[in-house]
Amino acid sequence: MKFSEQWLRDWVTPQLDTQAIADQITMAGLEVDAVEPVAASFSGVVVAEVLTKEKHPDADKLNVCTVNDGSAAPVQVVCGAPNVDVGQKIPFAQVGGVLPGDFKIKKAKLRGVESRGMICSASELGLEEETSPGILVLPASAPVGTSFRDYMQLDDMTIEVDLTPNRGDCLSIKGLAREVGVLNRLPVSGPSIAAVAPTIDTTFPVKVEAPEQCPRYVGRVIEGVATNAETPLWMVERLRRSGVRSIDPVVDITNYVMLELGQPLHAFDRDHLQGSITVRLATDAERLTLLDGQEVTLRPETLVIADERGPLAMAGIMGGENSGASENTQAIFLESAFFAPLAIAGQARSYGLHTDASHRFERGVDPELPLVAVERASQLLLEICGGQAGPVVETVSEEHLPAPRAITLREARLESALSKRLSADDVTDILQRLGLDVDKHAEGWSVVAPSWRFDVAIEEDLIEEVARIHGYNNLPVRRPAARLALRSANESTLTPSQLRHQMVARGFQEAVTYSFVAPDLQAALLPDAVSPVLANPISSDLSVMRASLFPGLVRALEHNLNRQQTRVRIFETGLVFNGSLDHLTQVPMMGALVCGGREAEGWDGAKAQVDFYDLKGDLESLLAMGGGLAAWRFEPGAHPSLHPGQTAQLFHEGKPAGWIGTLHPQVRATLGLKVDAVLFEVRLDALSQGSIPAFEPLSRYPEVRRDLAFLIKAETPVQALLDCAKAKAGDYLKDIKLFDVYAGKGVAEGYKSIALGLTWQHASRTLNDEEINQLVDSIITNVRAELDAELRG
């Protein structure tokens, strides 16, 4: 919100300079972003009058004028502006003057004709950013010889305030003046707004079919409006200093009232309306061409202003192209309404729009303001454009208007929160100056919030109001007193930090990617995934919530490969999102990706590339951290983004917990990757489960080891062989290891040789050969029966 300091001082006059006002409202919670002069620096420019105008003898586009600049004699000047004319009051830069950009005015000859000065345009004086089409014409009442800077009151500052969403009441001069008045204990006096007496009986029928979304709608017909009238310079300047461009008098007046009072208005061309005005929800697939020329397809939840032919405007957002006032308009229907914030919130953004009106209605506009705004706008329209006003038509649904909010503020609670005791009279004075109805009682205050303060609803809001008006810098600085006990740590649970440190220790780097990804990337990796689509994404490449960590890791891999990083080892922890919004699951996961050489580049390093088993080893180091590696199983599986035959599904205590595998060749081709990558993704809650370590005495008796090599079918997983061996290995089996896999000469085609090392140990005695032989025979028999495998000779 930009505002002119001079305009603010018309409402309230604190004895503070510009910076002090900016500091004061910042400390009150209305952060000032910028303080800038309203015009560039220039000197030697006065108000002058054009006395004569003649064509330049040697240039068709130049005129030779004489102007009265208040000096003893008229001054001759050559001017090329097409709109210069006799009798105009204009800004005139005298010889010796300096214009913005350090442009000095000197005597000159233009095509042989002497010119002593310069008639200026708005852009040459730094009042417009774009090049003006002609000179700036001043009102006829402008006093000749007066400093143009003084006449225009250009020694003014524009203050830009960055308001938080809860302070929509300050999106106007009236609201800001109210705040400054409260802070400085000064009265606030705006323009006198009297009801405009109707001089005609013309009205236009209004129906509100959506009273919950539009509890109050006010309208008035004004006939005989001269839309070709000129907007007064004072209004143009106030709009400019608030960052609003002048368009035509009708639009300028509605914008002016919005900036002044905070109530957006809209003026319809009455002759383009048919039947009646209807405030309703859009029907499916209705279309509307907006003022900016954009055609939109309306959704059923969008509130519209319509007539019998169809939508005229998106309520509280933007008017339609064909129904607004134009230069040919002779009668207008002036609209002012209260739209419920929830009915407007998010609607503009969903259509890719953001307007001054939607910005205000989303945050809440005073529901008592529409009638006042219509009277103020009517007053200005009649003054500037002429015409005759009809009676005001108001449609109200009292049951849907915001109800007054009664709040209790306890004196003890206020003192506790502020660490300071304020006198009851001071608190009452602060609350009353804020516009609240206050009733003091023994325990505190009963307060009713004003209609314009949507953000005051509970006791804490009142405490905040008292604190900021009293001054945060006036509150005592105290350290909080609390008994801080150490939290108990569950040793059976691994923290994400411990898991991350383990990955870093194994040479990985942590990646942090967006929780939303490109839809085509997710579709390539997870064609069957269902996850929420963002209604207002920050870009088209980040428009769906990730259903897996794989898309973000693959995108990070692409980023690194494009920067000549051929060895990549990254991991990430974060939420993944599955299902529609109504049935959404959010699961914390840990994922990792490796690509490139097994070892870092070096003169003695091997050049072997990482494979499935390298990453499986890293993953197993994580699984072993909790001391429950036996609870995990790897089983062959099929995943759409992983290579068939090089993919395993993880199970924790029999429940699916993740995947590991090599990136699918088709996915690589789709993404344009030329190197292999291996990935895993595991549920973080399963990884975090562990057990408390317990001491187990070491046996003093020797271990017994037997090595067994089995010929099994090539497609049989090693895990099945391990399970069969463990099932018959007895209670004293201490360890079982796979130490050799062989296929080739001496082994039948379609088979492989798997060698296992089994170790037994008893805690209180030495195991004899007979016991071990019985166990070995049982293992061989079980493997033969279950897997059709034979002991290799």
Side-chain angles (χ1 to χ4, degrees):
M1 168 75 184
K2 281 186 176 181
F3 66 94
S4 159
E5 180 187 351
Q6 287 181 359
W7 194 2
L8 177 72
R9 289 185 184 275
D10 286 348
W11 285 71
V12 61
T13 54
Q15 300 302 308
L16 302 171
D17 61 20
T18 306
Q19 190 57 52
I21 292 176
D23 293 342
Q24 186 181 61
I25 61 179
T26 294
M27 287 301 296
L30 313 178
E31 183 180 355
V32 172
D33 273 356
V35 178
E36 299 174 344
V38 300
S41 177
F42 60 82
S43 62
V45 181
V46 299
V47 176
E49 181 180 6
V50 180
L51 301 177
T52 65
K53 168 190 169 185
E54 297 177 356
K55 281 291 182 184
H56 193 290
D58 295 325
D60 294 337
K61 294 185 178 181
L62 297 179
N63 297 297
V64 181
C65 305
T66 58
V67 301
N68 174 18
D69 64 351
S71 57
V75 180
Q76 178 175 290
V77 62
V78 177
C79 179
N83 64 327
V84 67
D85 209 349
V86 174
Q88 291 175 336
K89 298 291 181 66
I90 44 86
F92 180 67
Q94 299 172 314
V95 173
V98 180
L99 297 185
D102 200 27
F103 180 72
K104 297 179 181 179
I105 305 299
K106 302 176 182 178
K107 292 181 182 179
K109 283 190 176 183
L110 298 177
R111 296 288 183 91
V113 177
E114 186 178 52
S115 180
R116 292 180 291 150
M118 177 178 172
I119 301 176
C120 301
S121 67
S123 58
E124 289 166 337
L125 294 170
L127 302 181
E128 289 183 359
E129 292 184 5
E130 299 179 0
T131 302
S132 303
I135 61 170
L136 177 62
V137 180
L138 304 178
S141 59
V144 172
T146 303
S147 165
F148 175 75
R149 195 171 190 91
D150 293 342
Y151 169 71
M152 293 288 288
Q153 297 183 341
L154 294 178
D155 293 324
D156 184 15
M157 303 297 285
T158 290
I159 302 175
E160 184 173 0
V161 179
D162 184 14
L163 297 172
T164 51
N166 65 314
R167 293 310 307 271
D169 62 295
C170 290
L171 285 167
S172 65
I173 291 293
K174 180 180 180 180
L176 290 165
R178 192 161 48 211
E179 284 290 304
V180 174
V182 170
L183 293 168
N184 293 281
R185 300 175 182 267
L186 293 173
V188 177
S189 57
S192 175
I193 304 175
V196 174
T199 54
I200 57 174
D201 296 330
T202 308
T203 61
F204 198 82
V206 173
K207 295 184 295 184
V208 177
E209 296 179 357
E212 185 176 352
Q213 291 81 7
C214 178
R216 171 168 277 141
Y217 190 91
V218 179
R220 163 177 266 166
V221 173
I222 302 179
E223 295 182 340
V225 176
T227 54
N228 58 352
E230 188 173 345
T231 304
L233 186 59
W234 63 266
M235 182 177 286
V236 172
E237 265 299 288
R238 282 188 170 178
L239 291 174
R240 180 186 73 84
R241 297 178 194 189
S242 299
V244 178
R245 182 172 58 90
S246 174
I247 298 174
D248 63 55
V250 174
V251 175
D252 290 348
I253 288 168
T254 58
N255 284 335
Y256 182 84
V257 174
M258 178 183 69
L259 293 171
E260 183 180 62
L261 302 179
Q263 172 68 51
L265 303 101
H266 188 66
F268 294 102
D269 188 326
R270 197 275 313 271
D271 295 332
H272 286 179
L273 304 179
Q274 288 191 6
S276 64
I277 287 287
T278 304
V279 184
R280 60 173 173 81
L281 295 175
T283 59
D284 196 22
E286 277 190 309
R287 300 184 70 80
L288 173 65
T289 301
L290 301 173
L291 282 171
D292 60 2
Q294 177 184 353
E295 186 177 26
V296 296
T297 300
L298 301 172
R299 295 187 296 273
E301 67 272 16
T302 301
L303 189 67
V304 297
I305 312 298
D307 64 3
E308 289 184 354
R309 290 178 298 183
L312 302 169
M314 294 174 68
I317 298 175
M318 186 181 289
E321 184 179 51
N322 300 320
S323 60
S326 66
E327 58 184 11
N328 300 318
T329 298
Q330 297 180 349
I332 66 170
F333 178 75
L334 187 63
E335 166 197 274
S336 179
F338 169 70
F339 299 115
L342 289 179
I344 307 301
Q347 288 293 324
R349 289 190 297 277
S350 70
Y351 289 96
L353 301 171
H354 181 78
T355 64
D356 289 334
S358 67
H359 188 74
R360 286 163 171 79
F361 281 122
E362 286 179 341
R363 287 154 176 76
V365 173
D366 183 357
E368 304 298 326
L369 194 55
L371 185 59
V372 177
V374 160
E375 297 292 2
R376 176 59 169 159
S378 301
Q379 179 185 7
L380 292 171
L381 280 164
L382 296 180
E383 288 177 6
I384 296 169
C385 302
Q388 296 177 298
V392 173
V393 176
E394 183 179 22
T395 303
V396 183
S397 175
E398 296 288 349
E399 63 178 302
H400 294 111
L401 284 171
R405 297 176 300 281
I407 314 162
T408 298
L409 175 61
R410 294 166 293 169
E411 196 166 0
R413 177 74 180 90
L414 179 66
E415 181 179 352
S416 172
L418 302 186
S419 296
K420 182 176 183 179
R421 184 176 183 82
L422 301 181
S423 72
D425 290 342
D426 285 345
V427 175
T428 302
D429 178 60
I430 288 173
L431 296 175
Q432 288 178 337
R433 283 188 286 124
L434 286 166
L436 287 78
D437 291 334
V438 183
D439 180 24
K440 181 71 176 74
H441 52 76
E443 294 184 359
W445 298 264
S446 294
V447 176
V448 177
S451 57
W452 62 84
R453 289 302 297 270
F454 284 78
D455 61 318
V456 177
I458 58 176
E459 184 179 31
E460 285 72 16
D461 296 330
L462 294 176
I463 294 171
E464 178 189 1
E465 292 300 298
V466 172
R468 70 184 189 84
I469 301 302
H470 177 71
Y472 294 121
N473 53 329
N474 295 322
L475 297 177
V477 177
R478 295 183 180 175
R479 294 181 178 87
R483 296 182 64 186
L484 303 178
L486 294 175
R487 290 191 306 171
S488 59
N490 188 348
E491 293 185 39
S492 65
T493 301
L494 295 173
T495 66
S497 177
Q498 290 173 299
L499 297 170
R500 286 197 291 265
H501 277 91
Q502 174 69 4
M503 293 298 286
V504 171
R506 295 186 70 87
F508 284 78
Q509 292 181 311
E510 185 170 13
V512 180
T513 67
Y514 285 107
S515 295
F516 18 88
V517 297
D520 55 344
L521 176 61
Q522 181 146 295
L525 289 164
L526 306 162
D528 299 325
V530 176
S531 63
V533 179
L534 300 181
N536 187 31
I538 59 177
S539 75
S540 59
D541 287 342
L542 299 169
S543 60
V544 297
M545 302 301 291
R546 65 187 179 193
S548 165
L549 296 181
F550 285 173
L553 292 171
V554 170
R555 186 65 79 206
L557 171 65
E558 291 177 336
H559 184 85
N560 279 273
L561 293 176
N562 291 337
R563 285 154 181 80
Q564 293 79 48
Q565 300 299 312
T566 57
R567 185 174 185 267
V568 178
R569 295 173 65 83
I570 54 177
F571 76 95
E572 181 175 17
T573 58
L575 292 174
V576 300
F577 308 85
N578 285 280
S580 62
L581 281 175
D582 295 333
H583 303 90
L584 185 65
T585 60
Q586 303 179 55
V587 182
M589 305 288 284
M590 172 174 270
L593 179 149
V594 294
C595 173
R598 182 172 292 151
E599 302 289 343
E601 185 178 7
W603 66 270
D604 62 344
K607 299 187 181 298
Q609 300 293 297
V610 291
D611 58 20
F612 175 93
Y613 296 103
D614 292 307
L615 188 62
K616 183 172 181 281
D618 294 320
L619 176 55
E620 286 178 332
S621 76
L622 289 178
L623 307 183
M625 288 181 66
L629 187 58
W632 292 87
R633 289 177 61 84
F634 291 82
E635 294 188 3
H639 190 283
S641 59
L642 301 179
H643 195 308
Q646 297 183 37
T647 300
Q649 186 174 12
L650 274 80
F651 291 85
H652 181 257
E653 295 181 347
K655 298 178 182 178
W659 292 89
I660 181 172
T662 305
L663 195 61
H664 199 295
Q666 290 182 355
V667 174
R668 279 180 46 205
T670 301
L671 301 179
L673 294 174
K674 298 181 179 179
V675 294
D676 277 329
V678 189
L679 309 90
F680 76 68
E681 181 179 50
V682 187
R683 290 179 63 106
L684 202 55
D685 56 354
L687 275 177
S688 300
Q689 293 183 29
S691 58
I692 298 176
F695 173 72
E696 183 177 318
L698 297 176
S699 175
R700 295 184 298 170
Y701 298 94
E703 296 177 346
V704 179
R705 172 166 172 151
R706 294 287 189 272
D707 293 341
L708 303 175
F710 293 95
L711 291 174
I712 64 174
K713 294 177 181 178
E715 65 271 15
T716 303
V718 172
Q719 186 64 54
L721 179 61
L722 293 172
D723 292 341
C724 284
K726 290 178 182 177
K728 297 297 181 180
D731 297 334
Y732 309 133
L733 181 70
K734 183 179 180 182
D735 190 20
I736 181 170
K737 289 183 179 179
L738 167 69
F739 67 87
D740 184 57
V741 179
Y742 174 74
K745 187 177 180 181
V747 175
E749 186 175 351
Y751 283 81
K752 59 185 175 183
S753 171
I754 303 295
L756 304 179
L758 297 95
T759 304
W760 288 269
Q761 188 177 35
H762 198 285
S764 57
R765 64 182 178 84
T766 301
L767 294 171
N768 57 53
D769 288 341
E770 184 179 351
E771 290 177 293
I772 299 302
N773 290 337
Q774 287 179 355
L775 293 172
V776 169
D777 291 342
S778 297
I779 290 171
I780 295 171
T781 301
N782 192 46
V783 168
R784 182 181 295 117
E786 295 290 335
L787 303 179
D788 193 22
E790 294 292 338
L791 191 67
R792 185 181 177 192

